[in-house]
PDB file of all heavy atoms in Angstrom:
ATOM      1  N   ASN A  88      39.216  35.512 -16.994  1.00  0.00           N
ATOM      2  CA  ASN A  88      38.810  34.598 -18.092  1.00  0.00           C
ATOM      3  C   ASN A  88      37.779  33.586 -17.621  1.00  0.00           C
ATOM      4  O   ASN A  88      38.002  33.008 -16.589  1.00  0.00           O
ATOM      5  CB  ASN A  88      40.056  33.746 -18.589  1.00  0.00           C
ATOM      6  CG  ASN A  88      40.990  34.589 -19.474  1.00  0.00           C
ATOM      7  OD1 ASN A  88      40.532  35.535 -20.094  1.00  0.00           O
ATOM      8  ND2 ASN A  88      42.242  34.145 -19.485  1.00  0.00           N
ATOM      9  N   HIS A  89      36.595  33.519 -18.270  1.00  0.00           N
ATOM     10  CA  HIS A  89      35.657  32.571 -17.902  1.00  0.00           C
ATOM     11  C   HIS A  89      34.746  32.287 -19.008  1.00  0.00           C
ATOM     12  O   HIS A  89      34.811  32.945 -20.044  1.00  0.00           O
ATOM     13  CB  HIS A  89      34.905  33.046 -16.674  1.00  0.00           C
ATOM     14  CG  HIS A  89      34.084  34.258 -16.923  1.00  0.00           C
ATOM     15  ND1 HIS A  89      34.721  35.563 -16.993  1.00  0.00           N
ATOM     16  CD2 HIS A  89      32.711  34.525 -17.122  1.00  0.00           C
ATOM     17  CE1 HIS A  89      33.777  36.500 -17.267  1.00  0.00           C
ATOM     18  NE2 HIS A  89      32.668  35.934 -17.339  1.00  0.00           N
ATOM     19  N   HIS A  90      33.882  31.361 -18.931  1.00  0.00           N
ATOM     20  CA  HIS A  90      32.935  31.001 -19.885  1.00  0.00           C
ATOM     21  C   HIS A  90      31.547  31.223 -19.340  1.00  0.00           C
ATOM     22  O   HIS A  90      31.362  31.720 -18.239  1.00  0.00           O
ATOM     23  CB  HIS A  90      33.048  29.452 -20.186  1.00  0.00           C
ATOM     24  CG  HIS A  90      34.413  29.004 -20.620  1.00  0.00           C
ATOM     25  ND1 HIS A  90      34.989  29.426 -21.812  1.00  0.00           N
ATOM     26  CD2 HIS A  90      35.387  28.395 -19.927  1.00  0.00           C
ATOM     27  CE1 HIS A  90      36.265  28.914 -21.929  1.00  0.00           C
ATOM     28  NE2 HIS A  90      36.529  28.191 -20.731  1.00  0.00           N
ATOM     29  N   HIS A  91      30.520  30.976 -20.162  1.00  0.00           N
ATOM     30  CA  HIS A  91      29.129  31.215 -19.795  1.00  0.00           C
ATOM     31  C   HIS A  91      28.191  30.090 -20.025  1.00  0.00           C
ATOM     32  O   HIS A  91      28.380  29.254 -21.027  1.00  0.00           O
ATOM     33  CB  HIS A  91      28.551  32.517 -20.475  1.00  0.00           C
ATOM     34  CG  HIS A  91      29.283  33.763 -20.166  1.00  0.00           C
ATOM     35  ND1 HIS A  91      30.251  34.316 -20.893  1.00  0.00           N
ATOM     36  CD2 HIS A  91      29.213  34.566 -19.075  1.00  0.00           C
ATOM     37  CE1 HIS A  91      30.766  35.348 -20.337  1.00  0.00           C
ATOM     38  NE2 HIS A  91      30.098  35.371 -19.206  1.00  0.00           N
ATOM     39  N   PHE A  92      27.258  29.878 -19.116  1.00  0.00           N
ATOM     40  CA  PHE A  92      26.164  28.906 -19.339  1.00  0.00           C
ATOM     41  C   PHE A  92      24.874  29.775 -19.426  1.00  0.00           C
ATOM     42  O   PHE A  92      24.592  30.505 -18.488  1.00  0.00           O
ATOM     43  CB  PHE A  92      26.038  27.956 -18.120  1.00  0.00           C
ATOM     44  CG  PHE A  92      24.843  27.026 -18.222  1.00  0.00           C
ATOM     45  CD1 PHE A  92      24.946  25.750 -18.975  1.00  0.00           C
ATOM     46  CD2 PHE A  92      23.597  27.350 -17.852  1.00  0.00           C
ATOM     47  CE1 PHE A  92      23.952  24.883 -18.949  1.00  0.00           C
ATOM     48  CE2 PHE A  92      22.493  26.439 -18.009  1.00  0.00           C
ATOM     49  CZ  PHE A  92      22.651  25.237 -18.644  1.00  0.00           C
ATOM     50  N   ILE A  93      24.097  29.573 -20.462  1.00  0.00           N
ATOM     51  CA  ILE A  93      22.852  30.315 -20.816  1.00  0.00           C
ATOM     52  C   ILE A  93      21.693  29.442 -20.468  1.00  0.00           C
ATOM     53  O   ILE A  93      21.633  28.449 -21.301  1.00  0.00           O
ATOM     54  CB  ILE A  93      22.826  30.976 -22.033  1.00  0.00           C
ATOM     55  CG1 ILE A  93      24.038  31.965 -22.224  1.00  0.00           C
ATOM     56  CG2 ILE A  93      21.507  31.792 -22.292  1.00  0.00           C
ATOM     57  CD1 ILE A  93      25.217  31.395 -22.866  1.00  0.00           C
ATOM     58  N   ASP A  94      20.843  29.662 -19.532  1.00  0.00           N
ATOM     59  CA  ASP A  94      19.631  28.958 -19.358  1.00  0.00           C
ATOM     60  C   ASP A  94      18.602  29.407 -20.407  1.00  0.00           C
ATOM     61  O   ASP A  94      18.162  30.440 -20.293  1.00  0.00           O
ATOM     62  CB  ASP A  94      19.140  29.114 -17.870  1.00  0.00           C
ATOM     63  CG  ASP A  94      17.916  28.182 -17.476  1.00  0.00           C
ATOM     64  OD1 ASP A  94      17.064  28.024 -18.322  1.00  0.00           O
ATOM     65  OD2 ASP A  94      18.019  27.581 -16.365  1.00  0.00           O
ATOM     66  N   VAL A  95      18.369  28.456 -21.328  1.00  0.00           N
ATOM     67  CA  VAL A  95      17.404  28.889 -22.399  1.00  0.00           C
ATOM     68  C   VAL A  95      16.028  29.059 -22.005  1.00  0.00           C
ATOM     69  O   VAL A  95      15.137  29.634 -22.637  1.00  0.00           O
ATOM     70  CB  VAL A  95      17.477  27.888 -23.625  1.00  0.00           C
ATOM     71  CG1 VAL A  95      18.887  27.888 -24.180  1.00  0.00           C
ATOM     72  CG2 VAL A  95      16.966  26.436 -23.149  1.00  0.00           C
ATOM     73  N   ASP A  96      15.577  28.470 -20.847  1.00  0.00           N
ATOM     74  CA  ASP A  96      14.261  28.638 -20.242  1.00  0.00           C
ATOM     75  C   ASP A  96      14.070  29.979 -19.633  1.00  0.00           C
ATOM     76  O   ASP A  96      13.101  30.614 -19.745  1.00  0.00           O
ATOM     77  CB  ASP A  96      13.858  27.513 -19.232  1.00  0.00           C
ATOM     78  CG  ASP A  96      13.568  26.209 -19.937  1.00  0.00           C
ATOM     79  OD1 ASP A  96      13.359  26.152 -21.180  1.00  0.00           O
ATOM     80  OD2 ASP A  96      13.561  25.274 -19.105  1.00  0.00           O
ATOM     81  N   THR A  97      15.048  30.381 -18.799  1.00  0.00           N
ATOM     82  CA  THR A  97      14.946  31.686 -18.005  1.00  0.00           C
ATOM     83  C   THR A  97      15.705  32.780 -18.579  1.00  0.00           C
ATOM     84  O   THR A  97      15.422  34.009 -18.249  1.00  0.00           O
ATOM     85  CB  THR A  97      15.370  31.383 -16.609  1.00  0.00           C
ATOM     86  OG1 THR A  97      16.880  31.112 -16.651  1.00  0.00           O
ATOM     87  CG2 THR A  97      14.677  30.215 -15.863  1.00  0.00           C
ATOM     88  N   GLY A  98      16.685  32.527 -19.451  1.00  0.00           N
ATOM     89  CA  GLY A  98      17.458  33.578 -20.116  1.00  0.00           C
ATOM     90  C   GLY A  98      18.636  34.007 -19.090  1.00  0.00           C
ATOM     91  O   GLY A  98      19.453  34.887 -19.486  1.00  0.00           O
ATOM     92  N   GLN A  99      18.717  33.336 -17.875  1.00  0.00           N
ATOM     93  CA  GLN A  99      19.859  33.731 -17.002  1.00  0.00           C
ATOM     94  C   GLN A  99      21.125  33.216 -17.475  1.00  0.00           C
ATOM     95  O   GLN A  99      21.265  32.128 -18.129  1.00  0.00           O
ATOM     96  CB  GLN A  99      19.592  33.042 -15.649  1.00  0.00           C
ATOM     97  CG  GLN A  99      18.376  33.600 -14.816  1.00  0.00           C
ATOM     98  CD  GLN A  99      18.343  33.102 -13.490  1.00  0.00           C
ATOM     99  OE1 GLN A  99      18.500  31.832 -13.267  1.00  0.00           O
ATOM    100  NE2 GLN A  99      17.797  33.728 -12.517  1.00  0.00           N
ATOM    101  N   ILE A 100      22.280  34.108 -17.236  1.00  0.00           N
ATOM    102  CA  ILE A 100      23.574  33.720 -17.664  1.00  0.00           C
ATOM    103  C   ILE A 100      24.355  33.587 -16.473  1.00  0.00           C
ATOM    104  O   ILE A 100      24.463  34.320 -15.512  1.00  0.00           O
ATOM    105  CB  ILE A 100      24.157  34.929 -18.481  1.00  0.00           C
ATOM    106  CG1 ILE A 100      23.178  35.189 -19.674  1.00  0.00           C
ATOM    107  CG2 ILE A 100      25.489  34.688 -18.971  1.00  0.00           C
ATOM    108  CD1 ILE A 100      23.370  36.628 -20.451  1.00  0.00           C
ATOM    109  N   HIS A 101      25.056  32.476 -16.455  1.00  0.00           N
ATOM    110  CA  HIS A 101      25.936  31.975 -15.228  1.00  0.00           C
ATOM    111  C   HIS A 101      27.345  31.993 -15.754  1.00  0.00           C
ATOM    112  O   HIS A 101      27.687  31.426 -16.787  1.00  0.00           O
ATOM    113  CB  HIS A 101      25.501  30.735 -14.751  1.00  0.00           C
ATOM    114  CG  HIS A 101      24.050  30.631 -14.333  1.00  0.00           C
ATOM    115  ND1 HIS A 101      23.512  31.081 -13.134  1.00  0.00           N
ATOM    116  CD2 HIS A 101      23.018  30.345 -15.023  1.00  0.00           C
ATOM    117  CE1 HIS A 101      22.226  30.934 -13.044  1.00  0.00           C
ATOM    118  NE2 HIS A 101      21.825  30.550 -14.270  1.00  0.00           N
ATOM    119  N   ASP A 102      28.318  32.461 -14.855  1.00  0.00           N
ATOM    120  CA  ASP A 102      29.662  32.384 -15.115  1.00  0.00           C
ATOM    121  C   ASP A 102      30.208  30.984 -14.918  1.00  0.00           C
ATOM    122  O   ASP A 102      29.796  30.392 -13.756  1.00  0.00           O
ATOM    123  CB  ASP A 102      30.487  33.406 -14.275  1.00  0.00           C
ATOM    124  CG  ASP A 102      30.287  34.830 -14.692  1.00  0.00           C
ATOM    125  OD1 ASP A 102      29.773  35.085 -15.815  1.00  0.00           O
ATOM    126  OD2 ASP A 102      30.574  35.718 -14.002  1.00  0.00           O
ATOM    127  N   ILE A 103      31.023  30.501 -15.638  1.00  0.00           N
ATOM    128  CA  ILE A 103      31.646  29.169 -15.546  1.00  0.00           C
ATOM    129  C   ILE A 103      33.127  29.392 -15.434  1.00  0.00           C
ATOM    130  O   ILE A 103      33.703  29.925 -16.395  1.00  0.00           O
ATOM    131  CB  ILE A 103      31.329  28.165 -16.658  1.00  0.00           C
ATOM    132  CG1 ILE A 103      29.925  27.995 -16.923  1.00  0.00           C
ATOM    133  CG2 ILE A 103      31.940  26.916 -16.601  1.00  0.00           C
ATOM    134  CD1 ILE A 103      29.081  27.393 -15.933  1.00  0.00           C
ATOM    135  N   PRO A 104      33.789  28.951 -14.384  1.00  0.00           N
ATOM    136  CA  PRO A 104      35.240  29.231 -14.145  1.00  0.00           C
ATOM    137  C   PRO A 104      35.995  28.680 -15.338  1.00  0.00           C
ATOM    138  O   PRO A 104      35.735  27.613 -16.043  1.00  0.00           O
ATOM    139  CB  PRO A 104      35.589  28.415 -12.920  1.00  0.00           C
ATOM    140  CG  PRO A 104      34.287  28.371 -12.166  1.00  0.00           C
ATOM    141  CD  PRO A 104      33.146  28.246 -13.224  1.00  0.00           C
ATOM    142  N   TRP A 105      37.022  29.365 -15.767  1.00  0.00           N
ATOM    143  CA  TRP A 105      37.845  29.025 -16.971  1.00  0.00           C
ATOM    144  C   TRP A 105      38.326  27.505 -16.815  1.00  0.00           C
ATOM    145  O   TRP A 105      38.348  26.806 -17.852  1.00  0.00           O
ATOM    146  CB  TRP A 105      39.031  29.922 -17.059  1.00  0.00           C
ATOM    147  CG  TRP A 105      39.771  29.846 -18.283  1.00  0.00           C
ATOM    148  CD1 TRP A 105      41.058  29.194 -18.478  1.00  0.00           C
ATOM    149  CD2 TRP A 105      39.617  30.338 -19.546  1.00  0.00           C
ATOM    150  NE1 TRP A 105      41.542  29.316 -19.743  1.00  0.00           N
ATOM    151  CE2 TRP A 105      40.506  30.136 -20.448  1.00  0.00           C
ATOM    152  CE3 TRP A 105      38.486  31.171 -20.034  1.00  0.00           C
ATOM    153  CZ2 TRP A 105      40.646  30.459 -21.854  1.00  0.00           C
ATOM    154  CZ3 TRP A 105      38.407  31.651 -21.336  1.00  0.00           C
ATOM    155  CH2 TRP A 105      39.533  31.307 -22.182  1.00  0.00           C
ATOM    156  N   ASP A 106      38.806  27.224 -15.746  1.00  0.00           N
ATOM    157  CA  ASP A 106      39.385  25.733 -15.649  1.00  0.00           C
ATOM    158  C   ASP A 106      38.429  24.630 -15.401  1.00  0.00           C
ATOM    159  O   ASP A 106      38.867  23.548 -15.484  1.00  0.00           O
ATOM    160  CB  ASP A 106      40.437  25.830 -14.494  1.00  0.00           C
ATOM    161  CG  ASP A 106      39.674  25.955 -13.104  1.00  0.00           C
ATOM    162  OD1 ASP A 106      38.509  26.405 -12.995  1.00  0.00           O
ATOM    163  OD2 ASP A 106      40.385  25.952 -12.022  1.00  0.00           O
ATOM    164  N   ARG A 107      37.125  25.027 -15.441  1.00  0.00           N
ATOM    165  CA  ARG A 107      36.134  23.885 -15.427  1.00  0.00           C
ATOM    166  C   ARG A 107      35.832  23.326 -16.825  1.00  0.00           C
ATOM    167  O   ARG A 107      35.107  22.404 -17.003  1.00  0.00           O
ATOM    168  CB  ARG A 107      34.788  24.517 -14.863  1.00  0.00           C
ATOM    169  CG  ARG A 107      34.728  24.880 -13.399  1.00  0.00           C
ATOM    170  CD  ARG A 107      34.912  23.525 -12.581  1.00  0.00           C
ATOM    171  NE  ARG A 107      34.027  22.548 -12.765  1.00  0.00           N
ATOM    172  CZ  ARG A 107      32.824  22.258 -12.183  1.00  0.00           C
ATOM    173  NH1 ARG A 107      32.515  22.929 -11.172  1.00  0.00           N
ATOM    174  NH2 ARG A 107      32.024  21.245 -12.700  1.00  0.00           N
ATOM    175  N   VAL A 108      36.330  24.048 -17.960  1.00  0.00           N
ATOM    176  CA  VAL A 108      36.051  23.620 -19.294  1.00  0.00           C
ATOM    177  C   VAL A 108      37.458  23.267 -19.992  1.00  0.00           C
ATOM    178  O   VAL A 108      38.360  24.099 -19.958  1.00  0.00           O
ATOM    179  CB  VAL A 108      35.475  24.875 -20.051  1.00  0.00           C
ATOM    180  CG1 VAL A 108      35.248  24.477 -21.492  1.00  0.00           C
ATOM    181  CG2 VAL A 108      34.197  25.265 -19.505  1.00  0.00           C
ATOM    182  N   GLN A 109      37.443  22.088 -20.342  1.00  0.00           N
ATOM    183  CA  GLN A 109      38.620  21.547 -20.888  1.00  0.00           C
ATOM    184  C   GLN A 109      38.516  21.763 -22.472  1.00  0.00           C
ATOM    185  O   GLN A 109      37.565  21.029 -23.005  1.00  0.00           O
ATOM    186  CB  GLN A 109      38.877  20.077 -20.588  1.00  0.00           C
ATOM    187  CG  GLN A 109      40.290  19.719 -21.029  1.00  0.00           C
ATOM    188  CD  GLN A 109      40.561  18.220 -20.257  1.00  0.00           C
ATOM    189  OE1 GLN A 109      39.631  17.409 -20.245  1.00  0.00           O
ATOM    190  NE2 GLN A 109      41.738  17.968 -19.887  1.00  0.00           N
ATOM    191  N   ILE A 110      39.357  22.352 -23.087  1.00  0.00           N
ATOM    192  CA  ILE A 110      39.317  22.573 -24.577  1.00  0.00           C
ATOM    193  C   ILE A 110      40.458  21.981 -25.192  1.00  0.00           C
ATOM    194  O   ILE A 110      41.601  22.089 -24.791  1.00  0.00           O
ATOM    195  CB  ILE A 110      39.211  24.115 -24.777  1.00  0.00           C
ATOM    196  CG1 ILE A 110      38.224  24.815 -24.210  1.00  0.00           C
ATOM    197  CG2 ILE A 110      39.294  24.388 -26.291  1.00  0.00           C
ATOM    198  CD1 ILE A 110      36.760  24.533 -24.616  1.00  0.00           C
ATOM    199  N   LEU A 111      40.186  21.092 -26.165  1.00  0.00           N
ATOM    200  CA  LEU A 111      41.186  20.605 -27.094  1.00  0.00           C
ATOM    201  C   LEU A 111      41.312  21.609 -28.228  1.00  0.00           C
ATOM    202  O   LEU A 111      40.574  21.551 -29.234  1.00  0.00           O
ATOM    203  CB  LEU A 111      40.916  19.227 -27.589  1.00  0.00           C
ATOM    204  CG  LEU A 111      40.722  18.234 -26.472  1.00  0.00           C
ATOM    205  CD1 LEU A 111      40.124  16.925 -27.035  1.00  0.00           C
ATOM    206  CD2 LEU A 111      41.944  17.987 -25.694  1.00  0.00           C
ATOM    207  N   PHE A 112      42.264  22.579 -27.985  1.00  0.00           N
ATOM    208  CA  PHE A 112      42.152  23.701 -28.990  1.00  0.00           C
ATOM    209  C   PHE A 112      42.837  23.330 -30.198  1.00  0.00           C
ATOM    210  O   PHE A 112      44.052  23.016 -30.269  1.00  0.00           O
ATOM    211  CB  PHE A 112      42.883  24.932 -28.237  1.00  0.00           C
ATOM    212  CG  PHE A 112      42.818  26.113 -29.110  1.00  0.00           C
ATOM    213  CD1 PHE A 112      41.547  26.988 -28.936  1.00  0.00           C
ATOM    214  CD2 PHE A 112      43.725  26.624 -29.857  1.00  0.00           C
ATOM    215  CE1 PHE A 112      41.366  28.027 -29.715  1.00  0.00           C
ATOM    216  CE2 PHE A 112      43.595  27.770 -30.524  1.00  0.00           C
ATOM    217  CZ  PHE A 112      42.423  28.526 -30.478  1.00  0.00           C
ATOM    218  N   ASN A 113      42.267  23.527 -31.327  1.00  0.00           N
ATOM    219  CA  ASN A 113      42.818  23.449 -32.696  1.00  0.00           C
ATOM    220  C   ASN A 113      42.568  24.799 -33.233  1.00  0.00           C
ATOM    221  O   ASN A 113      41.414  25.290 -33.372  1.00  0.00           O
ATOM    222  CB  ASN A 113      42.068  22.348 -33.514  1.00  0.00           C
ATOM    223  CG  ASN A 113      42.363  20.976 -33.032  1.00  0.00           C
ATOM    224  OD1 ASN A 113      43.428  20.657 -32.676  1.00  0.00           O
ATOM    225  ND2 ASN A 113      41.408  20.128 -32.990  1.00  0.00           N
ATOM    226  N   ALA A 114      43.592  25.419 -33.837  1.00  0.00           N
ATOM    227  CA  ALA A 114      43.537  26.714 -34.509  1.00  0.00           C
ATOM    228  C   ALA A 114      42.591  26.471 -35.715  1.00  0.00           C
ATOM    229  O   ALA A 114      42.485  25.492 -36.260  1.00  0.00           O
ATOM    230  CB  ALA A 114      44.896  27.085 -35.012  1.00  0.00           C
TER     231      ALA A 114
END
Side-chain angles (χ1 to χ4, degrees):
N88 286 336
H89 64 284
H90 307 286
H91 294 100
F92 178 89
I93 299 91
D94 186 317
V95 297
D96 283 347
T97 66
Q99 290 183 327
I100 302 166
H101 304 272
D102 291 344
I103 305 294
W105 188 260
D106 61 354
R107 293 289 311 256
V108 178
Q109 191 173 38
I110 302 291
L111 301 173
F112 190 81
N113 291 316

